[in-house]
């Protein structure tokens, strides 16, 4: 089966990115992570990066019009013709409405990854990321084979500047206040599927496939 539109919703640290990479590959659709687009822009020192950096470092959302513009541009690229997987977008009702306008109301399937706030804090503060290939690991639950080095490409791992405890707590607050409403919004439209995000990545992936009817 190829193609399809998906939105991955859920708190930071629920493993949306990890699941998105696999599902997008299976469906042959691009994985569009707004967090990754913005981090790349910061790293490359582009105009977008300059605008986004302060918000990201504080754990706040980048303004709707900026992010909605980025996504609108990305969706015009030819690889999105048969579908796409949006990871980390929309995050506000305004972004959800902007997307709906763009897609003529057909948003596709929305998968909501559920995880307790306690687990979010443990996962994110222990997360280490490869600045080169984007691979993630966890100091306790998924330690790299060689301490401090990426399993995939050997680059020295870093802690994302927004994965410190203070910023994680702020990101959770922002999630609760600004993104939480989207669960009800998409639930009312009968396009929402819930998946438990606690458990190992393979277990979550199996649950995801069951939830979207691909057992
Ligand atoms: P993520 O990698 O999805 O956790 O995103 C990292 C950071 O990028 C967030 O804490 C926000 O500052 C910013 N960001 C990512 N996606 C969005 C979005 N849809 N709207 C606003 N800000 C975003």
């Amino acid at each position: 089966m190829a193609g399809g539109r998906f939105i991955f919703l859920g708190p930071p640290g629920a493993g949306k990115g990890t699941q998105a990479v696999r599902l997008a590959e299976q469906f042959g659709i691009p994985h569009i992570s707004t967090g990754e687009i913005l981090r790349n822009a910061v790293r490359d020192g582009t105009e977008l990066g300059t605008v986004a950096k302060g918000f990201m470092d504080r754990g706040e959302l980048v303004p709707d019009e900026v992010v909605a513009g980025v996504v609108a541009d990305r969706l015009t690229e030819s690889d999105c013709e048969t579908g796409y997987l949006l990871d980390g977008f929309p995050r506000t009702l305004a972004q959800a409405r902007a997307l709906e306008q763009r897609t003529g109301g057909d948003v596709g399937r929305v998968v909501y990854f559920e995880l307790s706030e306690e687990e979010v804090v443990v996962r994110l503060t222990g997360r280490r990321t490869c600045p080169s290939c984007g691979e993630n690991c966890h100091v306790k639950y998924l330690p790299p084979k060689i301490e401090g080095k990426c399993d995939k490409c050997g680059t020295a791992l870093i802690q994302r500047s927004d994965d410190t405890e203070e910023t994680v707590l702020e990101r959770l607050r922002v999630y609760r206040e600004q993104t939480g409403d989207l669960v009800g919004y998409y639930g009312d439209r009968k396009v929402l599927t819930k998946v438990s995000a606690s458990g190992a990545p393979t277990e979550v992936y199996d649950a995801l496939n069951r939830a979207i009817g691909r057992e």
Side-chain angles (χ1 to χ4, degrees):
M1 195 197 319
R5 289 177 181 172
F6 294 92
I7 292 173
F8 277 12
L9 195 67
K16 300 186 295 293
T18 305
Q19 302 299 330
V21 168
R22 286 187 67 179
L23 200 77
E25 199 181 296
Q26 273 205 26
F27 278 83
I29 50 175
H31 164 213
I32 302 172
S33 155
T34 43
E36 202 173 295
I37 293 173
L38 294 169
R39 271 188 296 284
N40 289 344
V42 172
R43 184 197 61 203
D44 297 343
T46 65
E47 204 177 313
L48 171 66
T50 312
V51 173
K53 188 175 184 326
F55 295 102
M56 296 175 78
D57 283 346
R58 291 190 298 273
E60 294 168 10
L61 294 185
V62 175
D64 286 333
E65 57 280 12
V66 175
V67 186
V70 166
V71 172
D73 287 349
R74 180 64 186 84
L75 295 185
T76 61
E77 290 181 32
S78 59
D79 61 344
C80 295
E81 270 164 24
T82 58
Y84 42 80
L85 193 165
L86 290 170
D87 160 17
F89 181 92
R91 261 171 150 104
T92 63
L93 283 172
Q95 291 179 14
R97 292 193 185 110
L99 178 67
E100 250 169 57
Q101 268 191 349
R102 232 209 137 271
T103 57
D106 176 16
V107 293
R109 300 287 290 271
V110 181
V111 181
Y112 168 47
F113 291 90
E114 284 183 295
L115 194 70
S116 73
E117 296 206 352
E118 290 75 19
E119 278 185 276
V120 167
V121 174
V122 171
R123 280 195 188 183
L124 287 185
T125 54
R127 178 163 77 175
R128 298 295 178 269
T129 303
C130 175
S132 175
C133 73
E135 183 79 352
N136 287 318
C137 65
H138 191 280
V139 286
K140 196 166 159 205
Y141 300 118
L142 196 64
K145 291 191 186 83
I146 302 170
E147 202 186 323
K149 297 268 197 272
C150 174
D151 280 350
K152 257 194 174 165
C153 69
T155 305
L157 296 165
I158 58 160
Q159 181 176 44
R160 260 171 57 174
S161 55
D162 58 351
D163 278 348
T164 57
E165 185 163 357
E166 189 191 355
T167 311
V168 166
L169 293 176
E170 176 62 12
R171 286 163 72 196
L172 267 174
R173 192 189 63 77
V174 166
Y175 174 79
R176 226 183 285 130
E177 285 181 6
Q178 303 192 51
T179 311
D181 285 350
L182 291 180
V183 176
Y185 180 82
Y186 286 125
D188 290 347
R189 282 167 178 65
K190 310 271 183 270
V191 290
L192 190 87
T193 306
K194 288 186 187 184
V195 170
S196 166
S198 73
T202 50
E203 287 164 7
V204 178
Y205 193 65
D206 289 345
L208 168 63
N209 274 295
R210 280 196 298 277
I212 61 171
R214 272 175 58 97
E215 259 180 303

